[in-house]
Amino acid sequence: MSVIFIVGGLAGQILAPNPCISTLPLSMIVLGSALTARPLARFMQDRGRQAGFMLAVLAGGLGAALAAWGLSAGSFWLFMAGSLLTGIYMSAQGFYRFAATDLASEDYAPRAISWVMAGGLAAAIIGPAVVRVTDGLTAVPFLATYLAVIGLNALGPFLFAFLDSPRPAPAEADADAGRPLAELLRQPQIAVAMICGMVAYALMNLVMTSTPLAVVGCGFAPTDAANIVSVHVLAMFAPSFFTGHLIARFGAERIVAVGLFLLALAGAAALSGVELSHFFATLILLGMGWNFGYIGATTMLSRAHAPEERGRVQGLNDAVVFGGVFLASLSSGGLMNCSGGSVVAGWNAVNLAMLPFLVLAGGALIWLMLRPADA
């Protein structure tokens, strides 16, 4: 995914009939994630995690192949169709963190989530390296990069063959299916966890999607954009080695609050200038804010439902989260390319758009923390 998010907007800018929709292919990935989150959660509930992840890498490989075909044919709409199919893989990627809690105790769950998320450090190294190695290998820009993505997805079945996750037992006719969805959504911890997880992920995506466009638009090279995204992905996942320990010590709600504060600092850093140092500072703070906010919100959610409610709650949560991310990525290109008439004005518009959503998530979190424990 880090490879695609580095080059997807730049490829879209080449193919798009209008620069205002250059990031639409990235939005289609997120839309695919939002549309398939609940069906994929039900599939995993019935068939197991391994089957769901195998299905996802197949979709990811086919999506990359379709996108590569769109690039070679110069078809923006074919490229978008491949992006939509890639969204199935992105949706499954979100379930890795939940799979980590399937066999973990309640006390170890935050650390299990953190260790799985720490695997993203490999993406921070491999993803930008793939972009640098494949850049310019073919006459069609980024075609070699998408061919490499096909190869990465082909590794998935070999990895998931080692996944030792028990297949869910068939539900008995009189088994307790848990609370209705409407009742679950009325539980404050579930509702606030969904809001905070959605805001943390959506704002990270909003800014990250526009970053390569802003960096290149300000006169820097695509390799600079790759380096910035590489550092960003490191900042997203490196804290995972200790985020679980911090949650166990200080509580998930406080860690989410720190994450929202770091996201606000990222916006402030972006608005302070457009030198490379500003871009690096913005993306580092953005990554750390996402880590604390997203892992903290996931922990809040995992503690608020019973095992038999897992598929229903997790599927709805990721549908909400990726629905918000879809709107953010859809807005990102329009704000970046079609507001203010300059790259700097567009970049400022992207970062100012963070404010109302930070207020929403922060207000919801404060309300939850101030509620009486027995309410």
Side-chain angles (χ1 to χ4, degrees):
M1 294 309 303
S2 65
V3 174
I4 291 173
F5 276 101
I6 291 171
V7 303
L10 295 172
Q13 201 166 42
I14 295 171
L15 295 173
N18 188 311
C20 296
I21 59 172
S22 60
T23 60
L24 190 55
L26 297 179
S27 301
M28 296 304 290
I29 295 176
V30 182
L31 178 61
S33 299
L35 293 176
T36 57
R38 295 187 68 186
L40 191 57
R42 288 195 298 269
F43 182 82
M44 290 185 185
Q45 185 80 29
D46 295 336
R47 304 291 182 89
R49 299 289 190 188
Q50 188 179 59
F53 294 149
M54 290 287 194
L55 177 65
V57 293
L58 174 62
L62 291 175
L66 199 56
W69 184 13
L71 283 169
S72 61
S75 172
F76 181 67
W77 307 110
L78 195 57
F79 185 73
M80 285 212 305
S83 298
L84 183 65
L85 193 57
T86 301
I88 300 174
Y89 172 77
M90 186 177 181
S91 178
Q93 181 182 258
F95 288 102
Y96 293 162
R97 70 197 196 279
F98 290 127
T101 67
D102 287 348
L103 296 177
S105 66
E106 182 176 344
D107 291 338
Y108 190 74
R111 299 178 189 179
I113 295 169
S114 293
W115 277 105
V116 169
M117 301 298 285
L121 286 173
I125 299 169
I126 296 171
V130 168
V131 174
R132 285 191 288 267
V133 169
T134 57
D135 183 34
L137 287 182
T138 54
V140 177
F142 309 118
L143 177 60
T145 304
Y146 275 87
L147 294 177
V149 172
I150 298 173
L152 289 171
N153 277 282
L155 295 175
F158 298 99
L159 295 175
F160 293 126
F162 294 96
L163 180 62
D164 185 16
S165 183
R167 187 169 176 171
E172 299 179 3
D174 58 348
D176 182 11
R179 293 164 289 179
L181 193 57
E183 182 180 342
L184 288 167
L185 288 175
R186 286 196 296 268
Q187 184 172 338
Q189 190 170 19
I190 289 179
V192 174
M194 286 186 177
I195 291 171
C196 291
M198 181 269 291
V199 168
Y201 211 135
L203 294 187
M204 185 276 292
N205 188 271
L206 173 75
V207 177
M208 185 186 70
T209 299
S210 289
T211 296
L213 302 179
V215 172
V216 174
C218 287
F220 302 105
T223 52
D224 293 318
N227 291 334
I228 290 168
V229 172
S230 178
V231 171
H232 166 66
V233 179
L234 282 170
M236 286 174 64
F237 295 107
S240 298
F241 289 111
F242 55 83
T243 306
H245 295 279
L246 294 175
I247 290 173
R249 180 170 182 179
F250 298 106
E253 292 81 4
R254 289 187 175 89
I255 298 305
V256 172
V258 172
L260 296 176
F261 178 68
L262 290 172
L263 290 172
L265 287 181
L271 293 169
S272 65
V274 289
E275 298 298 324
L276 278 179
S277 59
H278 295 109
F279 287 115
F280 274 110
T282 298
L283 271 292
I284 289 171
L285 291 167
L286 191 74
M288 294 176 63
W290 174 86
N291 183 282
F292 287 171
Y294 193 52
I295 294 180
T298 299
T299 303
M300 289 171 60
L301 190 76
S302 67
R303 292 173 173 173
H305 61 78
E308 62 271 14
E309 299 163 344
R310 181 180 69 190
R312 190 181 310 127
V313 173
Q314 293 174 3
L316 178 63
N317 174 77
D318 278 16
V320 170
V321 167
F322 287 118
V325 175
F326 167 69
L327 294 176
S329 62
L330 187 64
S331 304
S332 185
L335 289 169
M336 183 68 226
N337 291 325
C338 301
S339 59
S342 71
V343 172
V344 174
W347 179 240
N348 289 341
V350 167
N351 287 279
L352 286 171
M354 297 174 68
L355 182 59
F357 299 99
L358 288 171
V359 171
L360 169 65
L365 188 63
I366 292 170
W367 169 77
L368 178 67
M369 295 173 72
L370 293 179
R371 280 172 52 88
D374 56 349

